[in-house]
Amino acid sequence: MRVTKDPETRRQEIIETAAELFEKKGIRKTSITEIAKTLCVAKGLVYYYFSSKDELVTAVIEQLAQSLDAALAEIVARDDLDFYSRLKAIFNFYFHAIQSHPRVLTVSPNDPAAFSLLRDRLSHIAFYHVHDVLNNGMKQNLITIKHPQHMLRILINGLGDLYINGVHDPKVHATLIEQTLNLEPGCLT
Amino acid sequence: MRVTKDPETRRQEIIETAAELFEKKGIRKTSITEIAKTLCVAKGLVYYYFSSKDELVTAVIEQLAQSLDAALAEIVARDDLDFYSRLKAIFNFYFHAIQSHPRVLTVSPNDPAAFSLLRDRLSHIAFYHVHDVLNNGMKQNLITIKHPQHMLRILINGLGDLYINGVHDPKVHATLIEQTLNLEPGCLT
Amino acid sequence: MRVTKDPETRRQEIIETAAELFEKKGIRKTSITEIAKTLCVAKGLVYYYFSSKDELVTAVIEQLAQSLDAALAEIVARDDLDFYSRLKAIFNFYFHAIQSHPRVLTVSPNDPAAFSLLRDRLSHIAFYHVHDVLNNGMKQNLITIKHPQHMLRILINGLGDLYINGVHDPKVHATLIEQTLNLEPGCLT
Amino acid sequence: MRVTKDPETRRQEIIETAAELFEKKGIRKTSITEIAKTLCVAKGLVYYYFSSKDELVTAVIEQLAQSLDAALAEIVARDDLDFYSRLKAIFNFYFHAIQSHPRVLTVSPNDPAAFSLLRDRLSHIAFYHVHDVLNNGMKQNLITIKHPQHMLRILINGLGDLYINGVHDPKVHATLIEQTLNLEPGCLT
DNA sequence: TATGAATGAGCCTTCATTCAT
DNA sequence: GATGAATGAAGGCTCATTCAT
């Protein structure tokens, strides 16, 4: 039967359902047909909101990216956090985001795509927000390593994988970050 | 025309051709038809040797993994290398392997959770071989960090991504490794 | 936003817009959606006025046909034209009409055998109007050919195609008509 | 059940079935699915032989064109025919070809296509073959009209339409051709 | 009158897989 | 061992049409 909804609501509904299925089965193995069926909606409706599967994938990824972006921005903006707490908070959020979407992270719409992997997108966002924080740390002589940006990237990506592979202990995390960025031992604990 | 070959030879031939095509176009976009055509062989023959595309993909990945495994084993076994050179050699090989197969690394056959990504397989192998080397370093007090295995993993995966993203300078590499493992500055240069 | 208009006005508006789009992109490639969008009107409204796309197509064709019909009728009715001028004027108009609507002429709605092609419709109209003129010519012994109606049809259709294919020179035209109808050479120039 | 046939045979079979369906329902309304079903064959098989619907359409058209081409070439080559008989024979064949394929003639694969209409293709072929014959006629002073090529085109296209519209009497035909090309009355009868 | 979200049938195409030879 | 014609399920997408508001 026919159920009409507010377009924006429906749009979100589609994005969310798609995100869940992408999560569960991977993007490639999730067909528009299945998304529609899950929503109890005609296939055509999905195309009414997204002109192609790629566009839907993009929307899903964008949504995830933006939620991370917003969260991190908020953290960076907080006045009550010092350099270390801020760093810790950011990483926590980032790892959490990565861990939540392993399948989406793995396969992209048309692999050779522009920003193909959400992974890149997320790490880019994390990188962007940590950047300022790091610079601040350098001015306070809290950061003394060479190639800080590369080190950051190693951390972001490397720790991401570690996280996915089951290392969730925040203490271990803190230690690893400290060591990688050559921070005072225990400063993040 | 019909060409008969030694089964093992033919098997290898198929694996190699598949590997090249996977490399060039990605696994998903490489069809059995194309592999067969490239080999000037009937489609059915591929199925004679591999009962499914997935099995072929697996064989290709296994082959890549084993070649890395062999290479690293050889390095570890060499007597003429000290701790630092050995470390450097191992990382070089690993990065090289990763860089050589970006497409295969990106998309997995049917994302069978098993060992889904060659990436995991490769990093696992690298991890395995570096393990002994690291232990050795710890005995010599050359490695003093905590959670050395996690740090190694961060390095292996994190540096891997960095490598893929265009950072190829060996000197930078060396510095990053030194910093991550907290080695004597300059020891790998 | 909602704009209410006089039904007949709206109907014309739809026909005109449809005609333009059919002209520009061909009937098949023009969707109801696009027609509605161009009119800044909801899709449903088009269906309020025309129960199907075919009916709209029919209306568009009918309109074109009638405008040609009116124009030719006017020419035939003029007292100030002699046989030759009248003939010339009619053909000019007909060719002009054909040339103006190449896309519509090429593809028909659902090829409903009915009067499938506007082409047939137009040539029929032209034929109808020339008929009287020809009869007149015969009475004056200006037309001596056999099967004048068939010859006329050949002219109308054949010249039509020639026109579409780029032969626009009125002089050449005149000569061709003279020859086909076996008129006095130069009488139409 | 599975029925294997000689590739060339199967290819022809597909072309013929497609031609018939195109004939009956028009190209656009004939789906690959229907062609396959009519042949009692899987849809995929059609794609095994023709990589797209357009390619199949092209093959069908090409086949029709070539059969006309061959037939006309043969007529032109015959020694036993004089100018008039040859002309008559050619037109007969051409008209016959056109009449046999009204639907195919009407709609082309992707209308705006290269040689879009078989009509053009056929008339071009006819034109090509008649060309020599006409030249010959001019040398013998049997043809005295101006713009003979244009006149020929008018004949070919115009008479084609007439034919489709039900005028089949060879005598009438002959007279019309005589008049259009300004030949000796009765020379083609 | 007018809206536009929703439908659903159908289209073209791809491709892993099978099987008679 | 090898061939390649044949299968069939599935996928992405389009669009005329409907209907609740």
Side-chain angles (χ1 to χ4, degrees), chain D residues 132-152:
Chain D
D132 284 347
V133 180
L134 268 200
N135 277 341
N136 233 318
M138 293 176 75
K139 279 180 195 153
Q140 301 175 42
N141 278 329
L142 299 173
I143 296 274
T144 58
I145 53 174
K146 286 177 184 172
H147 309 301
Q149 307 199 353
H150 288 342
M151 291 303 286
L152 178 55

Side-chain angles (χ1 to χ4, degrees), chain B residues 40 64 73 77-78 100 114 178:
Chain B
C40 294
L64 294 179
R78 281 170 62 182
S100 307
E178 287 165 13

Side-chain angles (χ1 to χ4, degrees), chain A residues 5-15 49 63:
Chain A
K5 297 197 179 179
D6 169 66
E8 196 45 47
T9 306
R10 185 68 92 180
R11 206 188 133 86
Q12 278 307 315
E13 210 176 273
I14 296 174
I15 289 181
Y49 286 96
Q63 173 128 322

Side-chain angles (χ1 to χ4, degrees), chain C residues 28 106-107 110-111 119 145-147 150-151 153-154 157-159 161-162 167 172 176 179-180, chain D residues 28-29 103 106 111 119 145-147 150-151 153-154 157-159 161-162 167 172 175-176 179-180:
Chain C
R28 212 99 206 183
T106 297
V107 191
N110 274 326
D111 343 327
R119 180 207 206 81
I145 53 173
K146 287 178 183 169
H147 309 302
H150 290 340
M151 291 303 286
R153 215 169 207 136
I154 291 177
N157 286 322
L159 263 182
D161 285 317
L162 205 60
V167 179
V172 172
L176 296 176
Q179 290 184 159
T180 309
Chain D
R28 215 98 205 186
K29 290 220 155 183
R103 305 305 283 244
T106 297
D111 10 298
R119 182 205 205 80
I145 53 174
K146 286 177 184 172
H147 309 301
H150 288 342
M151 291 303 286
R153 211 162 214 141
I154 290 176
N157 287 321
L159 262 181
D161 285 317
L162 203 61
V167 179
V172 172
T175 306
L176 296 176
Q179 288 185 159
T180 309

